Amino acid sequence: MGGRPARPAEARFRAYQTFGDLRLTQPQAPPEVSDYRRHLDISTATAGVRYTSGGTEFTREYFASAADNVIVARLSAGQPGRIGFTAAITAPDNRSKSASARDGRLTFSGSLHDNGMRFASQVQVLNDGGTRTDNADGTVTVQDADAVTLVLAGGTDYSPAYPAYRTGEDPASGVTQRVDQAVAKGLPALRSAHVADHQALFDRVDLQLGQQPPAIPTDDLLRSYQDGSASPAARKALEVLYFQYGRYLLIASSRPGSLPANLQGVWNNSTSPPWSADYHVNINLQMNYWPAETTNLAETTAPLFDYVDSMVPAGEVTAQEMFGNRGWVVHNETNPFGFTGVHDWATAFWFPESGAWLAQHYYEHYRFTRDEAFLRDRAYPMLKSLARFWIDELVVDPRDGKLVVTPSYSPEQGPFTAGASMSQQIVGDLLTSTVEAANLLGDNAFAAEAGDVLSRLDPGLRIGSWGQLQEWKTDQDDPANQHRHVSHLFALHPGNRVTPRETAELAEAAKVSLTARGDGGTGWSKAWKINFWARLLDGDHAHTMLSELLKSSTLTNLWDTHPPFQIDGNFGATAGIAEMLLQSHADAVDILPALPGTWDSGSVRGLRARGDLTVDVEWSGGSPTRIGLAAGRTGAVDVRSGLFSGPFEVRDVTTGQTVEVARDGERITLAAEQGHRYEATALASVAITAPETVEPGVPFTAEVTVAAIGDALPRGDVQLTLPQGWTAVPAAQPSAPLRAGTDRTHRFEITPATGAATLHVTVRGDGWQVRARKPVG
């Protein structure tokens, strides 16, 4: 989570390694280079370089294909015979190395010195025109070619199986087979398969906020965002890009058959990366996967589940030898070789709650997909094993007779106590999910055992002397403490025990704690705070945290920085944006629960809600105008939205029929059928027209237009809500009945006070109301 000193060499934990480099050495430096452009197209997952030299345009394109498990590069020029280089594979000196070249194929293999892991890689050089020469030193030289395609594959003898973590097989044969198959397939087919594979995931979600990306490089756009010179449309362009970039990064670094995304993802270029580029499991690995379900990338969770499953055998040994417990355990950080114990710096490495937190992802996957086979075969065994560990581990607190975790260390502040809030909340979340899953699957005996422990567990939820949610069981929080960790708000996010509607006092206490901690922190901390404020239904503060992340914790290529680069902030912020637009962790699917004022109009397509629902939303003036729901399962669906406080209709798009729903305030219950799509549409609207910017003390005219879209609209009253110090004449106006398809405009003379503000309008009639808002600078 946070910084720590380097480990001594004798600790032998070791680090995630760079595989090596493919170096292309040109015979001479290109003369008179101009119009240089380097790009990454996240919609196709292709990268490239384009430049002009000596009157010729040169182009390079690269893509890493999950479809064919190879990396492909294409070098071309606008004139024939202009491509030439010598290709060589290099790697660090912490391994043995053997290089050879034959028929244009570079082969590079060896093994690591410290653990003997074998590796192999091959690069096939395919030249169009010119000549190709295999060199005795294992390099390949191309001269006077029109274009060159490079096909690269690599592999190791790693296996996730305990205890050897080796396949026992030479990886070279598999690498050869992949390169042969890719070469036979040909470049056009390789590229088409790659783009189709990527877009099948990436194109599921589209976010439109009225953004207009300016024709400038991304680093210039980021700087203009940071210095305040970017236009509102350009600022939105960066925010939407950052959201989709997070989805791109997860697709690129977590596909079935791979290891899960780690601290630096697959982009680590060092043999000694920060924090070993390992798996920190006291938030970082979990945060990497926060956007997976909500942003419609459920398939990317497969490496996470495979990895956590692989830890269980080693974790069972640790549970027995360290604790004498059933089940399994893992501490603060781990690696792909079953490290589930602790290092010699207890205040950073003690966190046996990690496994229980990881288990949350299993049950959340079930809640989103309703995949009963996954629940039975993978999620429940994981939950049950970890629940057994904690049933054995919890002790009775003599102060009040409640069950507590001890020793318990609130990350990364401490001190060691009994029953720190985060510890209790995580274990409570685990036991709650386990009981629910056990009941669903009919394991009544264990449901009763775990339920009894849960009933005696200290919940870790207390309001302290200054109104805060306590971080420890005793009231020792310091209101001046602005540490980046706000771990005791786990029950707010990613947990669900604290919600503004169902536990208002606890939510207010969480807000007090969050406000006291401030808006500072490192990248991942700010990302978590986006999610916290979204769960508190404060979209403007959530947006403030997104802005702070972009202003001070984002590198020029949009990577999150701790510092240094640490990818969890990218993933956490993407998840936070999704939480601003859609939530489903409480009692209903909440539409636009924390929409910031600056995103007053827009649309989003393809977000996912718990209950196997895919959701589309269109909104204007801060209020939804259309909601689309695609049901993956048959059953009742509860949806909450301001759209339902006014006239509306719900239609089954699959059958074309209008659907009757039960309505309670802003909440409806819909009897959904599997495979059907439903659309709820507002039949009335209100819009505000006002200047984009105003001057304090200078009156301006605001126009409020009320429209009856589908049915006739009964009489109502138009009421403006203004910031403190602002005045309007008149204060309110009556709105006469409107026939279907007509509208009426009401004018208000407003005198502003200082500061930017948002104008709110409500049109309220007997049993109905419609709302809109308008930000004014």
Side-chain angles (χ1 to χ4, degrees):
M1 288 169 103
R4 55 177 172 77
R7 299 186 193 88
E10 61 271 15
R12 300 192 63 79
F13 185 85
R14 299 313 188 203
Y16 191 92
Q17 298 289 293
T18 175
F19 200 103
D21 295 301
L22 173 61
R23 296 188 179 275
L24 306 182
T25 304
Q26 295 175 288
Q28 62 183 27
E32 302 171 355
V33 174
S34 62
D35 301 323
Y36 183 88
R37 175 185 172 88
R38 182 180 174 206
H39 74 272
L40 168 65
D41 184 343
I42 62 174
S43 68
T44 60
T46 57
V49 171
R50 186 174 69 243
Y51 63 91
T52 299
S53 176
T56 301
E57 184 178 72
F58 293 84
T59 303
R60 301 175 187 173
E61 184 181 62
Y62 312 93
F63 58 88
S65 172
D68 290 286
N69 204 5
V70 292
I71 296 174
V72 179
R74 174 74 169 177
L75 289 75
S76 59
Q79 296 179 8
R82 298 298 302 273
I83 301 297
F85 57 81
T86 295
I89 301 176
T90 65
D93 292 332
N94 62 353
R95 64 200 73 181
S96 65
K97 293 173 277 191
S98 172
S100 63
R102 181 179 179 183
D103 297 329
R105 183 170 300 191
L106 295 83
T107 298
F108 189 84
S109 61
S111 62
L112 293 176
H113 293 323
D114 61 356
N115 65 10
M117 180 182 289
R118 291 186 290 178
F119 65 89
S121 60
Q122 292 184 359
V123 180
Q124 181 65 56
V125 181
L126 303 168
N127 56 302
D128 299 345
T131 62
R132 185 186 68 197
T133 304
D134 300 330
N135 302 315
D137 61 356
T139 63
V140 172
T141 298
V142 174
Q143 293 177 302
D144 304 324
D146 303 333
V148 177
T149 299
L150 305 170
V151 179
L152 183 156
T156 71
D157 65 348
Y158 171 78
S159 166
Y162 173 87
Y165 299 103
R166 296 290 188 277
T167 63
E169 300 175 358
D170 187 342
S173 61
V175 169
T176 300
Q177 183 179 32
R178 278 188 279 136
V179 174
D180 287 347
Q181 291 174 343
V183 169
K185 195 170 185 176
L187 177 65
L190 285 171
R191 192 184 192 282
S192 295
H194 160 70
V195 173
D197 171 75
H198 174 74
Q199 291 183 338
L201 296 169
F202 186 82
D203 287 355
R204 291 174 180 172
V205 174
D206 179 70
L207 177 60
Q208 298 294 323
L209 299 176
Q211 66 269 21
Q212 293 180 0
I216 59 175
T218 302
D219 54 343
D220 289 342
L221 176 59
L222 178 63
R223 277 188 287 271
S224 68
Y225 189 101
Q226 293 170 339
D227 66 23
S229 63
S231 68
R235 292 177 65 83
K236 292 175 185 177
L238 182 64
E239 291 162 357
V240 172
L241 176 61
Y242 195 80
F243 169 76
Q244 292 287 28
Y245 185 53
R247 297 182 67 247
Y248 160 82
L249 292 172
L250 188 55
I251 294 169
S253 61
S254 186
R255 303 298 292 274
S258 75
L259 286 168
N262 62 34
L263 284 172
Q264 278 76 35
V266 293
W267 296 276
N268 167 54
N269 65 348
S270 169
T271 58
S272 55
W275 302 288
S276 303
D278 62 19
Y279 293 104
H280 274 49
V281 283
N282 64 342
I283 187 171
N284 308 92
L285 178 58
Q286 292 90 333
M287 183 182 281
N288 285 359
Y289 287 88
W290 284 353
E293 306 289 352
T294 54
T295 72
N296 215 333
L297 298 175
E299 294 88 339
T300 64
T301 61
L304 173 67
F305 299 139
D306 289 345
Y307 177 68
V308 177
D309 286 352
S310 77
M311 281 195 284
V312 171
E316 289 175 336
V317 174
T318 302
Q320 178 59 43
E321 292 187 356
M322 284 190 67
F323 299 90
N325 291 354
R326 299 172 297 168
W328 74 280
V329 69
V330 61
H331 289 79
N332 176 39
E333 64 182 285
T334 181
N335 62 23
F337 303 100
F339 186 89
T340 53
V342 293
H343 293 291
D344 57 358
W345 185 21
T347 56
F349 301 129
W350 181 264
F351 199 71
E353 299 91 337
S354 296
W357 191 343
L358 289 166
Q360 184 188 58
H361 286 264
Y362 283 74
Y363 199 59
E364 283 289 272
H365 185 73
Y366 165 71
R367 294 183 72 199
F368 274 93
T369 65
R370 294 296 177 186
D371 184 339
E372 294 183 2
F374 179 85
L375 175 66
R376 180 183 61 252
D377 298 336
R378 298 194 74 174
Y380 183 58
M382 179 61 63
L383 293 166
K384 188 173 183 178
S385 177
L386 288 159
R388 280 174 166 155
F389 174 86
W390 285 106
I391 289 171
D392 292 350
E393 181 63 16
L394 295 167
V395 300
V396 175
D397 188 336
R399 293 171 291 184
D400 58 10
K402 293 290 188 179
L403 294 175
V404 292
V405 177
T406 185
S408 171
Y409 193 87
S410 194
E412 289 168 357
Q413 298 191 85
F416 281 106
T417 64
S421 298
M422 189 186 206
S423 302
Q424 300 302 129
Q425 292 169 20
I426 290 176
V427 175
D429 183 90
L430 168 71
L431 293 175
T432 299
S433 297
T434 303
V435 170
E436 185 174 315
N439 284 323
L440 287 169
L441 295 172
D443 189 352
N444 299 326
F446 196 73
E449 180 183 357
D452 173 65
V453 173
L454 180 62
S455 69
R456 295 183 286 124
L457 181 74
D458 186 308
L461 295 169
R462 287 179 175 79
I463 299 175
S465 57
W466 45 278
Q468 86 283 12
L469 195 66
Q470 291 181 197
E471 185 165 356
W472 298 273
K473 188 164 184 175
T474 56
D475 190 351
Q476 62 190 70
D477 301 77
D478 179 358
N481 177 11
Q482 294 195 330
H483 196 279
R484 63 188 175 275
H485 281 262
V486 201
S487 56
H488 54 299
L489 303 193
F490 176 93
L492 175 66
H493 181 276
N496 60 10
R497 292 284 302 279
V498 174
T499 66
R501 291 188 177 94
E502 296 177 333
T503 57
E505 290 186 2
L506 291 174
E508 181 60 29
K511 182 178 181 180
V512 170
S513 289
L514 194 55
T515 301
R517 288 290 165 91
D519 294 341
T522 56
W524 68 264
S525 174
K526 291 172 184 170
W528 198 1
K529 290 175 182 178
I530 299 171
N531 290 270
F532 283 144
W533 285 110
R535 287 282 178 94
L536 289 171
L537 310 182
D538 190 336
D540 287 332
H541 208 137
H543 185 266
T544 294
M545 293 314 310
L546 173 62
S547 298
E548 289 299 313
L549 181 68
L550 289 168
K551 288 177 181 177
S552 57
S553 298
T554 300
L555 302 171
T556 53
N557 64 350
L558 300 190
W559 273 345
D560 168 72
T561 178
H562 176 70
F565 163 51
Q566 193 170 296
I567 203 169
D568 46 12
N570 289 98
F571 295 135
T574 291
I577 291 171
E579 289 284 332
M580 294 156 76
L581 301 171
L582 180 71
Q583 294 178 18
S584 59
H585 60 285
D587 61 337
V589 178
D590 263 322
I591 307 298
L592 305 184
L595 187 72
T598 188
W599 297 351
D600 59 313
S601 296
S603 67
V604 65
R605 170 182 55 81
L607 293 180
R608 292 277 291 168
R610 293 162 183 85
D612 198 4
L613 293 165
T614 305
V615 182
D616 305 338
V617 189
E618 296 174 5
W619 67 93
S620 179
S623 295
T625 56
R626 187 188 68 84
I627 299 169
L629 299 168
R633 296 288 186 274
T634 295
V637 175
D638 293 324
V639 187
R640 181 185 289 109
S641 170
L643 186 151
F644 304 126
S645 63
F648 68 94
E649 72 170 10
V650 178
R651 187 172 295 274
D652 184 335
V653 178
T654 307
T655 64
Q657 301 297 310
T658 301
V659 178
E660 295 295 325
V661 298
R663 173 177 171 267
D664 180 11
E666 295 188 346
R667 175 171 169 163
I668 65 166
T669 300
L670 164 71
E673 293 186 43
Q674 182 178 0
H676 285 226
R677 177 179 172 80
Y678 302 88
E679 285 192 357
T681 306
L683 299 180
S685 70
V686 58
I688 308 174
T689 302
E692 294 295 327
T693 59
V694 299
E695 293 187 22
V698 179
F700 66 92
T701 299
E703 295 183 342
V704 176
T705 301
V706 184
I709 300 171
D711 294 335
L713 192 62
R715 181 198 177 281
D717 293 296
V718 182
Q719 178 72 53
L720 282 176
T721 302
L722 302 174
Q724 186 174 5
W726 293 44
T727 59
V729 179
Q733 297 185 39
S735 177
L738 291 171
R739 296 189 306 274
T742 66
D743 60 58
R744 180 173 292 107
T745 297
H746 305 262
R747 292 175 175 80
F748 295 82
E749 193 79 2
I750 299 176
T751 301
T754 57
T758 299
L759 310 180
H760 295 263
V761 63
T762 302
V763 184
R764 184 177 289 107
D766 185 12
W768 64 273
Q769 66 178 14
V770 290
R771 298 187 295 263
R773 68 190 187 200
K774 169 74 174 178
V776 177

